[in-house]
Amino acid sequence: DLGPLSEAGERIMGVAQPYLGAPYRLGGDTASGIDCSGLTKAVYARFGCDLPRQSRLQAGLGTPVAATELAPGDLLFFATNRDVGISHVGIYLGSGRMLHSSPRRGGVGVDRLPGTDYERWFVAARRLARPGGFDAALGTTETPGRRK
């Protein structure tokens, strides 16, 4: 049990509900199989944000966020192989947890960051501009990024 989430984290989980437990599938973008960037693209699309399909391209959007300033909805980027660069993305839920799809966990779910390999692999976080629905749902302010 990961404990309770903030209201904003719960709202993200509500939007992601159709994908929870979906198996990991490289290049997948449906509840029958989805990868990390497919999941972030799908969740953000529900709020009217159009993200590129690849995590390394998603990492170029929005504004940088320090690890100490993370807020629910921020995109987290990881380099699981430093020679390759950014190779994984998740959505921060608050309280040190993220929603992501990973072959390591077998699909879509929530994992803690502190004390895990993901903490070690973390390279960047970005905050995207969020249409009114996203801001209203999460209680956040808008910052520069890309809109649909």
Side-chain angles (χ1 to χ4, degrees):
D1 180 31
L2 296 175
L5 289 172
S6 68
E7 186 176 344
E10 289 290 348
R11 288 181 178 150
I12 294 166
M13 291 296 290
V15 167
Q17 185 64 39
Y19 301 98
L20 292 178
Y24 179 85
R25 181 172 297 133
L26 183 63
D29 60 4
T30 69
S32 63
I34 195 164
D35 66 11
C36 63
S37 58
L39 178 65
T40 55
K41 182 173 176 58
V43 169
Y44 264 79
R46 296 281 305 270
F47 291 109
C49 289
D50 182 27
L51 299 183
R53 185 59 182 82
Q54 296 175 324
S55 57
R56 66 180 175 76
L57 297 176
Q58 292 178 6
L61 302 177
T63 57
V65 179
T68 57
E69 301 296 322
L70 293 173
D74 289 343
L75 293 177
L76 307 176
F77 297 95
F78 305 88
T80 57
N81 175 340
R82 296 284 177 175
D83 294 333
V84 174
I86 290 172
S87 58
H88 188 63
V89 60
I91 302 172
Y92 190 69
L93 297 172
S95 302
R97 290 169 285 183
M98 72 167 168
L99 171 71
H100 66 134
S101 181
S102 165
R104 183 179 187 150
R105 76 169 346 274
V108 178
V110 176
D111 283 312
R112 288 194 180 281
L113 294 165
T116 68
D117 286 335
Y118 291 107
E119 182 179 48
R120 184 169 50 89
W121 295 330
F122 176 79
V123 293
R126 306 291 284 193
R127 187 164 296 153
L128 304 182
R130 298 166 177 149
F134 200 94
D135 287 329
L138 300 181
T140 59
T141 58
E142 192 171 298
T143 57
R146 177 176 160 185
R147 285 195 188 186
K148 192 172 190 176

